[in-house]
Amino acid sequence: MTADDELRELDEAIEASDAALEHLERARQLLDSASGWGVVDMIGGGMFSTFVKRSKMHEAQQEVQLAQNAMSVFRRELMDVEWVDAAGMGQDGFLGAADYFFDGVLADVMSYERIQRSRDQLERTIRQVEGIRERLIRREEEIVSLFR
């Protein structure tokens, strides 16, 4: 692979990570909101708080589905730069766990504790994607500096 090819593939992987992070962040925000409404619901918020909580959860589930699609693109792009194993993102690593996580969030998670667990898992996924994104950027910078 030429340096230009590798730079192009790195750019595509970084763009894919940005798309995944956008959906992951949005899902986290929606889970935060659902969590807040869950507290209101637990202290007797009534039908309105239950409705809003469930609405936020539904939106979060939709966003997680979009994130799952974006993570699939991210996985393919990482394979293009041959980073899947180096990044610890093989089927037995992060991406396999991420698939399991996404499937769980897409299930009906209405209790406060389950919302919190989902949010924590989402947070870990965001940190992992951010870490891989940073490694991709560093590699891109290394290649550019070699050919200046």
Side-chain angles (χ1 to χ4, degrees):
M1 179 182 297
T2 68
D4 286 339
D5 291 339
E6 188 173 1
L7 284 172
R8 186 185 74 253
E9 295 297 343
L10 287 165
D11 280 341
E12 290 172 1
I14 292 166
E15 287 176 20
S17 73
D18 290 343
L21 284 168
E22 181 179 326
H23 293 294
L24 291 166
E25 291 284 350
R26 178 72 179 134
R28 179 176 57 183
Q29 291 168 355
L30 289 162
L31 284 173
D32 285 346
S33 180
S35 177
W37 282 103
V39 170
V40 172
D41 200 25
M42 285 189 301
I43 59 173
M47 294 287 289
F48 179 74
S49 62
T50 300
F51 172 78
V52 174
K53 176 186 74 173
R54 288 179 184 224
S55 175
K56 295 295 180 186
M57 284 306 304
H58 179 73
E59 289 177 59
Q61 288 171 330
Q62 290 176 323
E63 201 63 42
V64 165
Q65 204 158 27
L66 293 171
Q68 186 175 26
N69 295 339
M71 290 293 288
S72 292
V73 172
F74 185 40
R75 175 189 293 125
R76 284 192 303 274
E77 293 302 334
L78 286 175
M79 290 169 65
D80 287 348
V81 293
E82 300 173 357
W83 269 40
V84 174
D85 293 326
M89 291 190 64
Q91 272 307 105
D92 295 333
F94 163 62
L95 284 179
D99 284 343
Y100 177 77
F101 160 70
F102 288 127
D103 289 342
V105 171
L106 292 174
D108 188 22
V109 287
M110 290 301 173
S111 75
Y112 179 78
E113 294 81 19
R114 291 177 71 187
I115 291 170
Q116 292 306 309
R117 277 196 308 271
S118 295
R119 193 207 173 281
D120 291 345
Q121 289 173 328
L122 189 59
E123 185 66 38
R124 283 190 296 276
T125 302
I126 290 169
R127 284 193 311 268
Q128 288 176 313
V129 171
E130 288 173 338
I132 293 165
R133 182 183 184 282
E134 289 302 315
R135 289 173 61 193
L136 292 167
I137 290 171
R138 283 194 303 271
R139 177 64 184 143
E140 188 176 51
E141 291 169 350
E142 289 171 4
I143 293 170
V144 168
S145 70
L146 287 173
F147 294 96
R148 282 190 182 172

